[in-house]
Amino acid sequence: MALVVCGIVLALLHGLSHGIDYQAMVHALRHTPNRLLAWSVAATALSYLALIARDVCALHYVGARIPGSALLLGSFCGSALGNAVGFGALTGGAVRYRAYGAVGVQPDQITRIMLFITAGFGVGLAAYAAASAVLASTAIGRLLHLPAEGLRLGGVATLASVALTVLLCGVRRAPVQLGQWQIDVPGAGLTLVQIVLTGVDLVGAAAALWFLLPEGRVDFASFSAIYAAATALGVISHVPGGLGVFEAVVVFALGNRVSPSLAAAALLAYRAVYFLLPLILAGVLLAVYELARLAGRATGATERVLRGAGLLAPIYLGVFTFAVGTMLIVSGATPAFGKRLAALHDLLPLWAVEMSSFFGSLAGVLMLFVARGLFHRLDGAWWLALVLALANLFLSITKGLAWDELAVISFFILMLLVTRREFTRPASFLRQPFTVEWFVGIAVVLAGSSWILFFAFRDVAYTHDLWWHFEFDEQAPRALRALLGMAVLALVLGCAQLMRTASGRVEPPTVEELGQAGRIIGEQGRSEAMLAMMGDKSFLFSGSGRSFLMYAKRGRSWVALYDPVGPREEWHELIWRFVELADEHGGRAAFYQVRADSLPFYLDAGLKILKLGEEAIVRLSDFTLQGGRWQGLRYALKRGEREGLSLELLTPEEAERRIQTLTRISDDWLSERRAKEKSFSVAAFDPSFIAAQSVALLSQRGDPVAFASVMTTDQRQEATIGIMRHTTTASPYAMEFLFTALAQRLREAGFARLSLGMAPLAGIGRTPLSSRWHRIAGLVWEHGGRVYNFQGLRTFKNKFHPAWEPRYLAASGAIGPFVALADVVVLAGGNKT
């Protein structure tokens, strides 16, 4: 789709470019009055102040209070990156997750913040366009050849709809129930403020471009409608920043009022003022925070904000590196200024200028590849970016005295040096994997630069002899050679990546590895990690040997179960190593049943997140069975006692001695259900695995009828139910009695938590704003009872009044999470790789 959209945009620009003279455009751009640039910068500042104020409203809406430094970091940097990269909601959400999450804002609150901002922008954009249509319907009608009366009526109808929306928000007090989701209505006042702030944002952004247009050619009200339409189409196109689509709409709509050459010059200046300048200021802000963090004097909330800034540095450097690479590529495809080349004529030999132009363009291509390594925090990518930037300090001068490039590259070097300690992952740039999407992005940049080259030199007649012309004033041949070099280099690097061999072989754990994993498990508090001792999963240990990941492979899916086990400070490196391990073998990395507090690790690794369900955690300190809410469990205990039920908690040694009894119960359970043993994320009956745990054995009038294995660690903080089995003759109250009595025993033994396991698809609601996954999951939850008793499982666990904690799947790729989830189902069903 990206390639198709790119082709459509280039076709539109080609049609519009017939009225644009390149030299006239460059002349107009260079002679833009400083007064108008200052007004454009002021309008840009107004727009970004409104964006920050929108975040203040959104934070008030979700009831979150954060320091001003965190607000500036999340709102301003998020907006700057979102505008530059495109996909503002997605990019802004990732930035806010790191900035706001660092000071305690919860993930669900950040999701609501982004929904509130996105919805407010949509309604505000509609109101802004409608107001412009009403105020300047006659002028807009003449400009776009549309009936003024129709524009006015459409604008009034849209404004009436917006007013009705605000009114409904004021009338509605109770939350709106959409499936299992509750959406709090923001209220009329907050909704109106958000719409007004969106209008101020759009006024500032439109004015930033309007000031750069030739004076007196089009009034601001008319231009506002054009700007709103161009913005909306740019958003709908999903092209990063609306690049090309936005420009095409503006140039077309201005028609004969503004010369296409002058309009193109204004648009280029606007991109620099409204997009590049805030991006540079965001880098300055990150640099200031990083220097403050290096000073090491911050404490409390300030320290957390600075840590959040450190998490943003790789994202920012990756974006800026891609932008610098694009700048160098476009520079190689466009002619240098004649006076600057003339100045070099007496200072440098021709070969120096030729080589500088050629290698500067190649450096731009390498920058596009290096950007991905910076996203991944690779130290090898950092060093290569620094070397390329330092080389281009020299090349920018020798190829044509490109002082503007020199300034941008100098700032880039400064940012690299300031953020050095964020890039410490010992991995080579050449070993990093690339996705198809990344190659598409690079292809789009090269295609765009090719179009720019032929547009800039369209007055030069093409002949085969052009390739062999070497003169100071022969810039078209120089650009052609640079373009060919860039294309060849990109093709070579792309083929080298796509043709990498991958074995994908996964070895089972050795006895020594199982012993090492067991020691690590005993030293931490999460009892679910005991599933590693089943022996059906491979291990990836940290460099220190103090932590590990357990994983299995099916097809191209490399699936790690749970978060890493061990000290939290080693999780980041382990997660990255696992992602790279999967990528090196041509697979997708996935992390199954990870917790909410660990999501930043997976977001930093560029993974997509899906909610799987919720895990039932019984707080044993509250498990007293006193009061009305525990009436059902008290009845189950009394009824079980009347039926002769009794519980015995076996130690591992006792469980090993009675393994035949446990085997008999398990075989009866499997035979009744015609099932086979599970694996991976589900505990299986294996004598060696069962004998390594405590077992709750339930007897009915002295005859064992049910059992549940209890996974614990040496810390004795948390217990997790492993495998559960019962015979066909057991009482209907057997399992309810077993869990209730077990919870009482564990509470008396000093345990704080008892995990009853996850309820799949629980807590995944469907709303009009939900993702497709949430809608599908909601339908399965409601109507999938014939396949799996989703609701019945949650209802049973709800009897114990647990705290429901969300669990997620993190996976790489656009459809990777869904494919990985299907592979997890197969793995859990007992199927091998």
Side-chain angles (χ1 to χ4, degrees):
M1 285 299 298
L3 292 174
V4 170
V5 172
C6 175
I8 294 173
V9 170
L10 291 180
L12 287 172
L13 292 176
H14 179 71
L16 293 171
S17 68
H18 292 298
I20 300 176
D21 180 80
Y22 179 78
Q23 297 299 331
M25 180 187 70
V26 173
H27 181 270
L29 183 62
R30 293 188 64 191
H31 291 84
T32 302
N34 292 332
R35 172 179 56 86
L36 297 182
L37 286 173
W39 278 111
S40 180
V41 170
T44 298
L46 174 65
S47 176
Y48 275 84
L49 285 174
L51 291 174
I52 295 173
R54 286 197 317 178
D55 271 55
V56 173
C57 284
L59 288 163
H60 177 73
Y61 166 66
V62 301
R65 298 175 62 88
I66 63 173
S69 55
L71 173 66
L72 189 61
L73 181 66
S75 178
F76 178 70
C77 292
S79 299
L81 281 170
N83 287 338
V85 180
F87 313 108
L90 178 61
T91 308
V95 172
R96 287 171 177 85
Y97 199 102
R98 291 158 177 82
Y100 296 166
V103 291
V105 182
Q106 297 302 310
D108 64 314
Q109 290 180 303
I110 298 174
T111 301
R112 291 166 60 202
I113 286 172
M114 292 310 302
L115 288 174
F116 183 71
I117 291 174
T118 303
F121 176 78
V123 177
L125 179 61
Y128 179 78
S132 301
V134 171
L135 294 175
S137 58
T138 303
I140 295 172
R142 287 199 302 267
L143 197 63
L144 301 180
H145 306 290
L146 295 173
E149 190 63 29
L151 289 172
R152 191 178 300 111
L153 289 175
V156 170
T158 303
L159 288 175
S161 300
V162 172
L164 180 61
T165 301
V166 175
L167 181 63
L168 291 176
C169 289
V171 173
R172 180 81 183 193
R173 297 297 181 185
V176 177
Q177 189 74 34
L178 296 174
Q180 296 186 4
W181 278 36
Q182 281 191 347
I183 299 179
D184 296 326
V185 179
L190 197 59
T191 303
L192 184 60
V193 169
Q194 188 74 348
I195 293 173
V196 170
L197 287 173
T198 299
V200 174
D201 162 35
L202 291 169
V203 167
L209 176 54
W210 183 71
F211 282 123
L212 298 171
L213 293 170
E215 297 180 77
R217 301 293 180 86
V218 59
D219 63 278
F220 182 73
S222 301
F223 179 74
S224 293
I226 295 172
Y227 184 89
T231 300
L233 290 173
V235 172
I236 293 171
S237 71
H238 285 79
V239 175
L243 191 63
V245 177
F246 177 86
E247 283 77 5
V249 173
V250 171
V251 172
F252 174 79
L254 290 177
N256 296 326
R257 291 292 186 92
V258 179
S259 163
S261 299
L262 298 180
L267 286 163
L268 286 174
Y270 168 71
R271 287 285 179 180
V273 171
Y274 193 81
F275 292 84
L276 181 59
L277 181 60
L279 187 64
I280 292 175
L281 292 178
V284 172
L285 181 63
L286 287 174
V288 170
Y289 283 165
E290 191 68 15
L291 290 173
R293 189 177 173 210
L294 288 173
R297 297 178 181 177
T299 58
T302 303
E303 183 183 11
R304 294 195 296 272
V305 172
L306 299 183
R307 188 166 60 249
L311 293 174
L312 290 180
I315 299 176
Y316 178 85
L317 262 297
V319 170
F320 203 79
T321 302
F322 201 91
V324 170
T326 303
M327 176 190 71
L328 295 175
I329 289 173
V330 173
S331 175
T334 53
F337 294 118
K339 292 182 179 179
R340 296 181 182 180
L341 273 180
L344 286 176
H345 189 278
D346 298 327
L347 299 175
L348 294 175
L350 176 61
W351 65 264
V353 177
E354 292 282 354
M355 298 298 286
S356 297
S357 177
F358 186 77
F359 286 111
S361 300
L362 296 188
V365 174
L366 286 175
M367 285 282 195
L368 302 185
F369 285 89
V370 168
R372 179 170 171 82
L374 293 177
F375 274 118
H376 286 191
R377 301 173 182 263
L378 303 185
D379 60 348
W382 185 91
W383 280 108
L384 185 53
L386 182 63
V387 169
L388 291 172
L390 290 172
N392 272 282
L393 282 180
F394 172 76
L395 296 176
S396 296
I397 301 300
T398 56
K399 72 180 181 181
L401 299 179
W403 305 115
D404 46 355
E405 288 182 27
L406 184 67
V408 173
I409 292 172
S410 298
F411 174 76
F412 177 56
I413 292 173
L414 177 63
M415 287 299 303
L416 284 172
L417 295 175
V418 170
T419 59
R420 171 67 185 100
R421 70 173 185 171
E422 302 298 335
F423 302 91
T424 56
R425 299 187 55 246
S428 168
F429 156 73
L430 296 175
R431 290 184 58 81
Q432 65 170 328
F434 287 85
T435 63
V436 174
E437 292 83 359
W438 199 269
F439 288 124
V440 169
I442 294 173
V444 168
V445 172
L446 292 176
S449 64
S450 301
W451 180 87
I452 292 172
L453 183 149
F454 289 106
F455 165 68
F457 295 103
R458 64 183 176 184
D459 294 332
V460 178
Y462 176 81
T463 66
H464 294 296
D465 294 338
L466 278 178
W467 295 97
W468 314 110
H469 287 185
F470 294 93
E471 298 291 344
F472 259 92
D473 57 351
E474 291 286 355
Q475 299 195 60
R478 192 174 301 142
L480 281 173
R481 288 189 290 268
L483 180 63
L484 177 62
M486 290 186 287
V488 171
L489 178 60
L491 183 63
V492 169
L493 291 176
C495 290
Q497 285 289 329
L498 293 174
M499 296 175 66
R500 294 171 64 188
T501 58
S503 62
R505 184 178 180 85
V506 175
E507 299 293 338
T510 63
V511 176
E512 292 76 12
E513 288 177 333
L514 284 170
Q516 182 180 358
R519 290 189 294 273
I520 296 172
I521 292 169
E523 295 172 356
Q524 54 89 55
R526 293 187 172 178
S527 53
E528 62 191 14
M530 279 295 295
L531 282 180
M533 305 312 293
M534 287 174 58
D536 62 340
K537 292 172 279 290
S538 302
F539 298 137
L540 178 64
F541 290 95
S542 64
S544 68
R546 297 168 54 214
S547 54
F548 71 92
L549 273 172
M550 54 180 129
Y551 68 94
K553 175 183 175 290
R554 184 181 188 278
R556 292 184 60 244
S557 296
W558 295 62
V559 187
L561 180 61
Y562 305 134
D563 296 310
V565 182
R568 193 176 180 88
E569 59 267 20
E570 296 188 353
W571 288 16
H572 184 273
E573 183 63 27
L574 261 179
I575 290 170
W576 272 106
R577 283 180 56 198
F578 185 73
V579 171
E580 289 179 341
L581 178 66
D583 283 336
E584 287 175 3
H585 293 87
R588 67 182 67 85
F591 296 81
Y592 184 67
Q593 287 197 40
V594 299
R595 304 193 180 200
D597 60 357
S598 63
L599 290 184
F601 292 108
Y602 305 103
L603 289 172
D604 282 344
L607 304 182
K608 306 292 190 304
I609 306 295
L610 291 181
K611 186 175 181 181
L612 295 172
E614 296 178 332
E615 183 176 355
I617 304 294
V618 179
R619 312 288 183 184
L620 294 177
S621 59
D622 301 330
F623 197 81
T624 61
L625 296 188
Q626 298 177 2
R629 69 191 299 239
W630 302 102
Q631 180 178 356
L633 295 184
R634 289 200 304 271
Y635 175 80
L637 280 180
K638 292 178 182 179
R639 178 65 180 266
E641 290 172 354
R642 289 200 301 269
E643 294 185 4
L645 297 179
S646 61
L647 183 72
E648 184 179 3
L649 192 57
L650 307 179
T651 64
E653 294 77 14
E654 293 171 332
E656 186 175 9
R657 289 195 297 268
R658 305 188 65 175
I659 195 68
Q660 292 184 351
T661 299
L662 302 178
T663 302
R664 175 181 59 81
I665 297 173
S666 176
D667 290 345
D668 186 48
W669 188 88
L670 290 172
S671 176
E672 172 66 18
R673 287 161 177 75
R674 297 181 180 179
K676 66 176 182 178
E677 291 291 353
K678 306 296 184 181
S679 63
F680 188 61
S681 61
V682 182
F685 188 89
D686 179 82
S688 60
F689 176 65
I690 296 296
Q693 325 167 34
S694 299
V695 175
L697 180 62
L698 185 70
S699 298
Q700 185 170 351
R701 297 184 178 89
D703 182 26
V705 293
F707 73 88
S709 64
V710 185
M711 300 187 292
T712 62
T713 71
D714 296 343
Q715 302 298 313
R716 299 180 68 81
Q717 300 171 0
E718 179 184 79
T720 298
I721 300 295
I723 183 173
M724 302 169 289
R725 301 285 162 88
H726 61 80
T727 64
T728 55
T729 59
S731 165
Y733 292 90
M735 302 310 292
E736 196 170 339
F737 180 96
L738 188 154
F739 288 153
T740 305
L742 175 61
Q744 290 180 315
R745 296 281 188 91
L746 293 173
R747 181 175 182 272
E748 293 169 359
F751 284 85
R753 295 155 48 99
L754 171 62
S755 171
L756 301 180
M758 191 179 73
L761 306 184
I764 303 180
R766 289 184 294 146
T767 73
L769 298 178
S770 296
S771 67
R772 292 180 180 177
W773 161 248
H774 279 74
R775 297 177 184 178
I776 293 171
L779 286 172
V780 174
W781 169 265
E782 293 179 10
H783 307 293
R786 294 182 180 180
V787 179
Y788 186 88
N789 191 10
F790 296 101
Q791 298 186 37
L793 181 62
R794 183 179 176 107
T795 300
F796 174 79
K797 294 179 180 181
N798 259 334
K799 295 180 180 180
F800 301 87
H801 303 290
W804 290 98
E805 297 183 359
R807 295 293 178 261
Y808 300 90
L809 172 74
S812 58
I815 63 171
F818 305 101
V819 179
L821 188 57
D823 287 332
V824 167
V825 172
V826 177
L827 286 171
N831 294 291
K832 302 300 181 182
T833 301

